[in-house]
Amino acid sequence: SRPLNDEQIRGKTLSALGELCEARSEYSSALLYCRQALEVLRRTGDKRAEARVMCLIGTVYDRLGQLSRAVESLEKGLHLAQ
């Protein structure tokens, strides 16, 4: 496997911060980090990482009770993972 470049590291770091915030029930921060991660990951073309972030966004929306947004995000994540 190839070494990660700065953009890939930044995207994965933002994603990890989103996961941490979700685990701490800091949902608005989690969404902020996830959206930033998506912007970076889309530029890098890392579809697997993008899919994981979309699924995390779906989980956050589920926790917030926004089920239609949760389903939409999870479906996007599933599509990216295929």
Side-chain angles (χ1 to χ4, degrees):
S1 85
R2 298 178 314 190
L4 298 177
N5 66 38
D6 288 348
E7 279 283 274
Q8 290 169 314
I9 293 168
R10 184 169 182 264
K12 290 181 185 294
T13 300
L14 289 165
S15 175
L17 287 168
E19 289 181 46
L20 178 63
C21 289
E22 187 275 328
R24 295 172 50 108
S25 301
E26 297 171 2
Y27 301 126
S28 61
S29 294
L31 288 173
L32 179 68
Y33 284 121
C34 286
R35 288 184 185 119
Q36 292 175 17
L38 280 178
E39 286 181 34
V40 174
L41 293 169
R42 285 179 177 145
R43 287 195 301 265
T44 67
D46 187 342
K47 296 291 185 196
R48 289 183 64 196
E50 190 180 339
R52 285 192 296 275
V53 173
M54 285 306 305
C55 289
L56 177 57
I57 290 172
T59 299
V60 172
Y61 280 134
D62 178 57
R63 303 270 193 267
L64 291 169
Q66 297 181 25
L67 299 183
S68 62
R69 291 179 98 173
V71 169
E72 179 184 334
S73 298
L74 291 166
E75 287 176 343
K76 286 180 183 177
L78 179 61
H79 176 74
L80 286 165
Q82 294 176 340

Coordinates of all heavy atoms in Angstrom, one line a residue:
S1 N 0.8 -1.2 0.0 CA 0.0 0.0 0.0 C 0.9 1.2 0.0 O 2.0 1.2 0.5 CB -1.0 0.0 1.2 OG -0.4 0.5 2.3
R2 N 0.3 2.3 -0.6 CA 1.1 3.6 -0.7 C 1.0 4.3 0.6 O 0.0 4.3 1.3 CB 0.5 4.4 -1.8 CG 0.6 3.7 -3.2 CD 0.0 4.6 -4.2 NE -1.3 5.1 -3.8 CZ -2.1 5.7 -4.6 NH1 -1.8 5.9 -5.9 NH2 -3.3 6.1 -4.2
P3 N 2.0 5.2 0.9 CA 1.9 6.0 2.1 C 0.8 7.1 1.9 O 0.5 7.5 0.8 CB 3.3 6.7 2.2 CG 3.9 6.5 0.9 CD 3.3 5.3 0.2
L4 N 0.2 7.5 3.0 CA -0.8 8.5 2.9 C -0.2 9.9 2.7 O 0.8 10.2 3.2 CB -1.6 8.5 4.2 CG -2.4 7.3 4.6 CD1 -3.0 7.4 6.0 CD2 -3.4 6.9 3.6
N5 N -0.9 10.7 1.9 CA -0.5 12.1 1.7 C -1.2 13.0 2.8 O -2.0 12.5 3.6 CB -0.7 12.6 0.3 CG -2.2 12.7 0.0 OD1 -3.1 13.1 0.8 ND2 -2.6 12.3 -1.3
D6 N -0.8 14.2 2.8 CA -1.3 15.1 3.8 C -2.8 15.3 3.8 O -3.5 15.3 4.9 CB -0.7 16.5 3.7 CG 0.8 16.6 4.1 OD1 1.3 15.6 4.7 OD2 1.4 17.6 3.8
E7 N -3.4 15.3 2.6 CA -4.9 15.4 2.5 C -5.6 14.2 3.1 O -6.6 14.3 3.8 CB -5.3 15.7 1.1 CG -5.2 17.1 0.6 CD -6.3 18.0 1.1 OE1 -7.3 18.1 0.5 OE2 -6.0 18.7 2.1
Q8 N -5.0 13.0 2.8 CA -5.6 11.8 3.3 C -5.5 11.8 4.8 O -6.5 11.4 5.5 CB -4.9 10.6 2.7 CG -5.2 10.4 1.2 CD -4.3 9.4 0.6 OE1 -3.1 9.4 0.8 NE2 -4.9 8.5 -0.2
I9 N -4.4 12.2 5.4 CA -4.2 12.2 6.8 C -5.2 13.2 7.4 O -5.8 12.9 8.5 CB -2.8 12.5 7.2 CG1 -1.8 11.4 6.8 CG2 -2.6 12.8 8.7 CD1 -0.4 11.7 6.8
R10 N -5.4 14.3 6.8 CA -6.3 15.3 7.3 C -7.7 14.8 7.3 O -8.5 14.9 8.3 CB -6.2 16.6 6.5 CG -7.1 17.7 7.0 CD -6.7 19.0 6.3 NE -7.5 20.1 6.8 CZ -8.6 20.6 6.3 NH1 -9.1 20.0 5.1 NH2 -9.3 21.5 6.8
G11 N -8.1 14.1 6.2 CA -9.5 13.6 6.1 C -9.7 12.5 7.2 O -10.8 12.5 7.8
K12 N -8.7 11.7 7.4 CA -8.9 10.6 8.4 C -8.9 11.2 9.8 O -9.6 10.7 10.7 CB -7.8 9.5 8.2 CG -8.0 8.7 6.9 CD -7.0 7.7 6.7 CE -7.1 6.9 5.4 NZ -8.4 6.2 5.3
T13 N -8.1 12.2 10.0 CA -8.1 12.9 11.3 C -9.5 13.5 11.6 O -10.0 13.4 12.7 CB -7.0 13.9 11.4 OG1 -5.7 13.2 11.2 CG2 -6.9 14.6 12.8
L14 N -10.0 14.2 10.7 CA -11.3 14.9 10.8 C -12.4 13.8 11.1 O -13.3 14.0 11.9 CB -11.7 15.7 9.6 CG -10.8 17.0 9.5 CD1 -11.0 17.6 8.1 CD2 -11.2 18.0 10.5
S15 N -12.3 12.7 10.4 CA -13.2 11.6 10.6 C -13.1 11.0 12.0 O -14.2 10.8 12.6 CB -13.0 10.5 9.5 OG -13.8 9.4 9.8
A16 N -11.9 10.9 12.5 CA -11.7 10.3 13.8 C -12.3 11.3 14.9 O -12.9 10.9 15.9 CB -10.2 10.1 14.1
L17 N -12.1 12.6 14.6 CA -12.7 13.6 15.6 C -14.2 13.5 15.5 O -14.8 13.7 16.6 CB -12.2 15.0 15.2 CG -10.7 15.3 15.5 CD1 -10.3 16.6 14.8 CD2 -10.5 15.4 17.0
G18 N -14.8 13.3 14.4 CA -16.2 13.1 14.3 C -16.7 11.9 15.1 O -17.7 12.0 15.8
E19 N -15.9 10.8 15.0 CA -16.3 9.6 15.7 C -16.2 9.9 17.2 O -17.1 9.4 18.0 CB -15.4 8.5 15.3 CG -15.6 7.9 14.0 CD -14.7 6.8 13.6 OE1 -14.5 5.9 14.5 OE2 -14.1 6.8 12.6
L20 N -15.2 10.5 17.6 CA -15.0 10.9 19.1 C -16.1 11.7 19.6 O -16.7 11.4 20.6 CB -13.7 11.6 19.3 CG -13.3 12.0 20.7 CD1 -13.2 10.8 21.6 CD2 -12.1 12.8 20.7
C21 N -16.5 12.7 18.8 CA -17.6 13.6 19.2 C -18.9 12.8 19.3 O -19.7 13.0 20.2 CB -17.8 14.8 18.3 SG -16.4 16.0 18.5
E22 N -19.2 11.9 18.3 CA -20.4 11.1 18.3 C -20.4 10.2 19.6 O -21.4 10.1 20.2 CB -20.4 10.2 17.1 CG -21.8 9.5 16.9 CD -21.8 8.2 17.6 OE1 -20.8 7.5 17.8 OE2 -22.9 7.8 18.1
A23 N -19.3 9.6 19.9 CA -19.2 8.8 21.1 C -19.5 9.5 22.4 O -20.0 9.0 23.4 CB -17.8 8.1 21.2
R24 N -19.2 10.8 22.4 CA -19.4 11.7 23.5 C -20.7 12.4 23.5 O -21.0 13.3 24.3 CB -18.2 12.7 23.6 CG -16.9 12.1 23.9 CD -15.7 13.1 23.8 NE -16.0 14.3 24.6 CZ -15.4 14.6 25.7 NH1 -14.4 13.8 26.2 NH2 -15.7 15.7 26.3
S25 N -21.6 12.0 22.5 CA -22.9 12.6 22.4 C -22.8 14.1 22.0 O -23.7 14.9 22.3 CB -23.8 12.4 23.6 OG -23.9 11.0 23.9
E26 N -21.7 14.5 21.4 CA -21.5 15.9 21.0 C -21.9 16.0 19.5 O -21.0 16.1 18.6 CB -20.1 16.4 21.2 CG -19.8 16.4 22.7 CD -18.3 16.6 23.0 OE1 -17.5 16.9 22.1 OE2 -17.9 16.6 24.2
Y27 N -23.2 15.8 19.2 CA -23.6 15.6 17.8 C -23.4 16.7 16.9 O -23.0 16.5 15.7 CB -25.1 15.1 17.8 CG -25.3 13.9 18.7 CD1 -26.2 13.9 19.7 CD2 -24.5 12.8 18.5 CE1 -26.4 12.7 20.4 CE2 -24.7 11.6 19.2 CZ -25.6 11.6 20.2 OH -25.8 10.5 21.0
S28 N -23.6 18.0 17.3 CA -23.3 19.1 16.4 C -21.9 19.2 16.0 O -21.5 19.4 14.8 CB -23.8 20.4 17.0 OG -23.2 20.7 18.2
S29 N -21.0 18.9 16.9 CA -19.5 18.9 16.6 C -19.2 17.7 15.7 O -18.4 17.8 14.8 CB -18.7 18.8 17.9 OG -18.9 20.0 18.7
A30 N -19.8 16.6 16.0 CA -19.6 15.4 15.2 C -20.0 15.7 13.7 O -19.2 15.3 12.8 CB -20.4 14.2 15.7
L31 N -21.1 16.3 13.5 CA -21.5 16.6 12.1 C -20.6 17.6 11.5 O -20.3 17.5 10.3 CB -23.0 17.2 12.1 CG -24.1 16.2 12.4 CD1 -25.4 16.9 12.5 CD2 -24.1 15.1 11.3
L32 N -20.1 18.6 12.2 CA -19.2 19.6 11.7 C -17.9 18.9 11.2 O -17.4 19.1 10.1 CB -18.9 20.6 12.8 CG -17.9 21.7 12.3 CD1 -18.5 22.6 11.3 CD2 -17.5 22.5 13.6
Y33 N -17.3 18.0 12.1 CA -16.1 17.3 11.7 C -16.3 16.4 10.5 O -15.5 16.3 9.6 CB -15.5 16.5 12.9 CG -14.8 17.4 13.9 CD1 -15.2 17.5 15.2 CD2 -13.7 18.2 13.5 CE1 -14.6 18.2 16.1 CE2 -13.0 19.0 14.4 CZ -13.5 19.0 15.7 OH -12.8 19.8 16.6
C34 N -17.5 15.7 10.5 CA -17.8 14.8 9.4 C -17.9 15.5 8.1 O -17.4 15.0 7.1 CB -19.0 14.0 9.7 SG -18.8 12.7 11.0
R35 N -18.6 16.6 8.1 CA -18.7 17.4 6.9 C -17.4 17.9 6.3 O -17.1 17.9 5.1 CB -19.7 18.6 7.1 CG -21.1 18.1 7.2 CD -22.1 19.3 7.3 NE -23.4 18.8 7.6 CZ -24.1 19.1 8.7 NH1 -23.6 19.9 9.6 NH2 -25.3 18.6 8.8
Q36 N -16.5 18.3 7.3 CA -15.2 18.7 6.8 C -14.4 17.5 6.3 O -13.7 17.6 5.3 CB -14.4 19.3 8.0 CG -15.0 20.7 8.5 CD -14.3 21.2 9.7 OE1 -13.2 20.8 10.1 NE2 -14.9 22.2 10.4
A37 N -14.5 16.4 7.0 CA -13.9 15.2 6.5 C -14.3 14.8 5.1 O -13.5 14.4 4.2 CB -14.1 14.0 7.5
L38 N -15.6 14.9 4.8 CA -16.2 14.6 3.5 C -15.6 15.4 2.4 O -15.2 14.9 1.4 CB -17.7 14.7 3.5 CG -18.5 13.6 4.1 CD1 -20.0 13.9 4.0 CD2 -18.2 12.3 3.4
E39 N -15.5 16.7 2.7 CA -14.9 17.6 1.7 C -13.5 17.2 1.3 O -13.1 17.1 0.2 CB -14.8 19.1 2.3 CG -16.1 19.8 2.3 CD -16.0 21.2 2.9 OE1 -14.9 21.8 2.6 OE2 -16.9 21.6 3.6
V40 N -12.7 16.9 2.3 CA -11.3 16.4 2.1 C -11.2 15.1 1.4 O -10.5 14.9 0.4 CB -10.5 16.4 3.4 CG1 -9.1 15.8 3.2 CG2 -10.4 17.8 4.1
L41 N -12.0 14.1 1.9 CA -12.0 12.8 1.4 C -12.5 12.7 -0.1 O -12.0 11.9 -0.9 CB -12.8 11.8 2.3 CG -12.2 11.6 3.7 CD1 -13.2 10.9 4.6 CD2 -10.9 10.9 3.6
R42 N -13.4 13.6 -0.4 CA -13.9 13.6 -1.8 C -12.8 14.1 -2.7 O -12.6 13.6 -3.8 CB -15.1 14.5 -1.9 CG -16.3 13.9 -1.4 CD -17.6 14.7 -1.5 NE -18.7 14.0 -1.0 CZ -19.7 14.5 -0.3 NH1 -19.7 15.8 -0.1 NH2 -20.7 13.8 0.1
R43 N -11.9 15.0 -2.3 CA -10.8 15.5 -3.1 C -9.7 14.4 -3.2 O -9.1 14.3 -4.2 CB -10.2 16.7 -2.4 CG -11.0 18.0 -2.6 CD -10.2 19.2 -2.3 NE -9.6 19.2 -0.9 CZ -10.2 19.8 0.1 NH1 -11.3 20.4 0.0 NH2 -9.5 19.8 1.3
T44 N -9.6 13.5 -2.2 CA -8.6 12.5 -2.3 C -9.1 11.3 -3.1 O -8.3 10.4 -3.5 CB -8.2 12.0 -0.9 OG1 -9.2 11.3 -0.3 CG2 -7.7 13.2 0.0
G45 N -10.4 11.1 -3.2 CA -10.9 10.0 -4.0 C -11.0 8.7 -3.1 O -11.2 7.6 -3.7
D46 N -10.9 8.8 -1.8 CA -11.0 7.7 -0.9 C -12.4 7.3 -0.6 O -13.0 7.8 0.3 CB -10.2 8.0 0.4 CG -10.1 6.7 1.3 OD1 -10.8 5.8 1.1 OD2 -9.2 6.8 2.2
K47 N -13.0 6.5 -1.5 CA -14.4 6.2 -1.4 C -14.8 5.4 -0.2 O -15.8 5.6 0.4 CB -14.9 5.4 -2.7 CG -14.8 6.2 -4.0 CD -15.8 7.3 -4.0 CE -15.7 8.0 -5.4 NZ -16.4 9.3 -5.3
R48 N -13.9 4.5 0.2 CA -14.1 3.7 1.4 C -14.2 4.6 2.7 O -15.1 4.4 3.5 CB -13.1 2.6 1.6 CG -13.2 1.5 0.6 CD -12.2 0.4 0.8 NE -12.5 -0.2 2.1 CZ -11.6 -1.0 2.7 NH1 -10.4 -1.3 2.2 NH2 -12.0 -1.6 3.8
A49 N -13.3 5.5 2.8 CA -13.3 6.4 4.0 C -14.5 7.3 3.9 O -15.2 7.6 4.9 CB -12.0 7.2 4.0
E50 N -14.9 7.8 2.7 CA -16.1 8.6 2.5 C -17.3 7.9 2.9 O -18.2 8.4 3.5 CB -16.1 9.1 1.0 CG -17.2 10.1 0.8 CD -17.2 10.5 -0.7 OE1 -16.2 10.3 -1.5 OE2 -18.3 11.1 -1.1
A51 N -17.4 6.6 2.5 CA -18.5 5.7 2.9 C -18.6 5.6 4.4 O -19.8 5.7 5.0 CB -18.4 4.4 2.3
R52 N -17.5 5.4 5.1 CA -17.6 5.3 6.6 C -18.1 6.6 7.2 O -18.8 6.6 8.1 CB -16.2 5.0 7.1 CG -15.8 3.5 6.9 CD -14.5 3.1 7.7 NE -13.4 3.9 7.3 CZ -12.5 3.5 6.3 NH1 -12.8 2.4 5.6 NH2 -11.5 4.2 6.0
V53 N -17.6 7.7 6.7 CA -18.1 9.0 7.2 C -19.6 9.2 7.0 O -20.3 9.7 7.8 CB -17.2 10.2 6.7 CG1 -17.8 11.5 7.1 CG2 -15.8 10.1 7.1
M54 N -20.0 8.9 5.8 CA -21.5 9.0 5.5 C -22.3 8.1 6.5 O -23.4 8.5 6.9 CB -21.8 8.6 4.1 CG -21.4 9.6 3.0 SD -22.0 11.3 3.2 CE -23.8 11.0 3.4
C55 N -21.8 6.9 6.8 CA -22.5 6.1 7.7 C -22.5 6.7 9.1 O -23.4 6.6 9.9 CB -21.9 4.7 7.7 SG -22.3 3.8 6.2
L56 N -21.3 7.3 9.5 CA -21.3 8.0 10.8 C -22.3 9.1 10.9 O -22.9 9.3 11.9 CB -19.8 8.4 11.0 CG -19.6 9.2 12.3 CD1 -20.0 8.4 13.6 CD2 -18.1 9.6 12.4
I57 N -22.4 9.9 9.8 CA -23.4 10.9 9.7 C -24.8 10.4 9.9 O -25.6 10.9 10.6 CB -23.2 11.7 8.4 CG1 -21.9 12.6 8.4 CG2 -24.5 12.6 8.2 CD1 -21.6 13.2 7.1
G58 N -25.0 9.2 9.3 CA -26.3 8.6 9.5 C -26.6 8.2 10.9 O -27.7 8.4 11.4
T59 N -25.5 7.7 11.6 CA -25.7 7.3 13.0 C -26.0 8.6 13.8 O -26.8 8.5 14.7 CB -24.4 6.7 13.5 OG1 -24.2 5.5 12.7 CG2 -24.4 6.3 14.9
V60 N -25.3 9.7 13.5 CA -25.5 10.9 14.3 C -27.0 11.4 14.1 O -27.7 11.7 15.1 CB -24.5 12.0 13.9 CG1 -24.9 13.3 14.5 CG2 -23.1 11.6 14.3
Y61 N -27.4 11.4 12.9 CA -28.8 11.8 12.6 C -29.8 10.9 13.3 O -30.8 11.3 13.8 CB -29.1 11.9 11.1 CG -28.6 13.1 10.4 CD1 -27.9 13.1 9.2 CD2 -28.8 14.4 11.0 CE1 -27.4 14.2 8.6 CE2 -28.4 15.5 10.4 CZ -27.7 15.4 9.2 OH -27.2 16.6 8.6
D62 N -29.5 9.6 13.4 CA -30.3 8.6 14.1 C -30.4 9.0 15.6 O -31.5 9.1 16.1 CB -29.8 7.2 13.9 CG -30.6 6.2 14.7 OD1 -31.9 6.1 14.5 OD2 -30.0 5.5 15.5
R63 N -29.3 9.3 16.1 CA -29.2 9.7 17.6 C -30.0 11.0 17.8 O -30.6 11.2 18.9 CB -27.8 9.9 18.0 CG -26.9 8.7 17.8 CD -26.9 7.8 19.0 NE -25.8 6.8 18.9 CZ -25.9 5.7 18.4 NH1 -27.0 5.2 17.9 NH2 -24.8 4.8 18.4
L64 N -30.0 11.9 16.8 CA -30.8 13.1 16.9 C -32.3 12.9 16.6 O -33.0 13.9 16.7 CB -30.2 14.2 16.0 CG -28.8 14.7 16.3 CD1 -28.2 15.5 15.2 CD2 -28.8 15.5 17.6
G65 N -32.7 11.7 16.2 CA -34.1 11.5 15.9 C -34.5 11.9 14.5 O -35.7 12.0 14.3
Q66 N -33.5 12.2 13.7 CA -33.8 12.7 12.3 C -33.7 11.5 11.4 O -32.7 11.4 10.7 CB -32.9 13.8 12.0 CG -33.0 15.1 12.8 CD -32.1 16.2 12.5 OE1 -31.6 16.3 11.3 NE2 -31.7 17.0 13.4
L67 N -34.7 10.7 11.5 CA -34.6 9.4 10.8 C -34.5 9.4 9.3 O -33.8 8.7 8.7 CB -35.8 8.5 11.3 CG -35.8 8.2 12.8 CD1 -37.0 7.3 13.1 CD2 -34.5 7.7 13.3
S68 N -35.2 10.4 8.7 CA -35.2 10.4 7.2 C -33.8 10.8 6.7 O -33.2 10.3 5.8 CB -36.2 11.4 6.6 OG -36.0 12.7 7.1
R69 N -33.1 11.8 7.5 CA -31.8 12.2 7.1 C -30.8 11.0 7.4 O -29.8 10.8 6.7 CB -31.4 13.4 7.9 CG -32.2 14.6 7.5 CD -31.8 15.8 8.2 NE -30.8 16.6 7.5 CZ -30.4 17.8 7.8 NH1 -30.8 18.4 8.9 NH2 -29.5 18.4 7.1
A70 N -31.1 10.3 8.5 CA -30.2 9.1 8.8 C -30.3 8.1 7.7 O -29.2 7.6 7.3 CB -30.7 8.5 10.1
V71 N -31.5 7.8 7.3 CA -31.6 6.8 6.2 C -30.9 7.3 4.9 O -30.2 6.5 4.3 CB -33.1 6.4 5.9 CG1 -33.2 5.6 4.6 CG2 -33.7 5.7 7.1
E72 N -31.1 8.5 4.6 CA -30.5 9.1 3.4 C -28.9 9.0 3.4 O -28.3 8.6 2.5 CB -30.9 10.5 3.2 CG -30.3 11.2 2.0 CD -30.7 12.7 2.0 OE1 -31.7 13.1 2.5 OE2 -29.9 13.5 1.4
S73 N -28.4 9.3 4.6 CA -26.9 9.3 4.8 C -26.4 7.8 4.7 O -25.4 7.6 4.1 CB -26.5 9.9 6.1 OG -26.9 11.3 6.1
L74 N -27.1 6.9 5.4 CA -26.7 5.5 5.4 C -26.8 4.9 4.0 O -25.9 4.2 3.6 CB -27.6 4.7 6.4 CG -27.3 5.1 7.8 CD1 -28.4 4.5 8.7 CD2 -25.9 4.6 8.3
E75 N -27.8 5.3 3.2 CA -27.9 4.8 1.8 C -26.8 5.3 1.0 O -26.2 4.6 0.2 CB -29.3 5.2 1.2 CG -30.4 4.3 1.8 CD -31.8 4.7 1.3 OE1 -31.9 5.9 0.8 OE2 -32.7 3.9 1.5
K76 N -26.4 6.6 1.2 CA -25.3 7.1 0.4 C -24.0 6.4 0.8 O -23.2 6.1 -0.1 CB -25.1 8.6 0.7 CG -26.2 9.5 0.0 CD -25.9 11.0 0.4 CE -27.0 11.8 -0.3 NZ -26.9 13.3 0.1
G77 N -23.8 6.1 2.1 CA -22.7 5.4 2.5 C -22.6 4.0 1.9 O -21.5 3.5 1.5
L78 N -23.7 3.3 1.9 CA -23.8 2.0 1.3 C -23.5 2.0 -0.2 O -22.7 1.2 -0.7 CB -25.2 1.4 1.5 CG -25.5 0.0 0.9 CD1 -24.6 -1.0 1.5 CD2 -26.9 -0.4 1.1
H79 N -24.0 3.0 -0.9 CA -23.7 3.2 -2.3 C -22.2 3.4 -2.6 O -21.7 2.8 -3.5 CB -24.5 4.3 -2.9 CG -24.3 4.6 -4.3 ND1 -24.7 3.8 -5.3 CD2 -23.6 5.6 -4.9 CE1 -24.3 4.3 -6.5 NE2 -23.6 5.4 -6.3
L80 N -21.6 4.2 -1.8 CA -20.2 4.5 -1.9 C -19.3 3.2 -1.6 O -18.3 3.0 -2.2 CB -19.7 5.6 -1.0 CG -20.1 7.0 -1.4 CD1 -20.0 8.0 -0.2 CD2 -19.3 7.5 -2.6
A81 N -19.8 2.4 -0.7 CA -19.0 1.2 -0.3 C -19.1 0.1 -1.4 O -18.3 -0.8 -1.4 CB -19.6 0.7 1.0
Q82 N -20.1 0.2 -2.3 CA -20.2 -0.9 -3.3 C -19.3 -0.7 -4.4 O -18.8 0.3 -4.8 CB -21.7 -0.9 -3.8 CG -22.6 -1.3 -2.7 CD -24.1 -1.3 -3.1 OE1 -24.4 -0.6 -4.1 NE2 -24.9 -2.0 -2.3

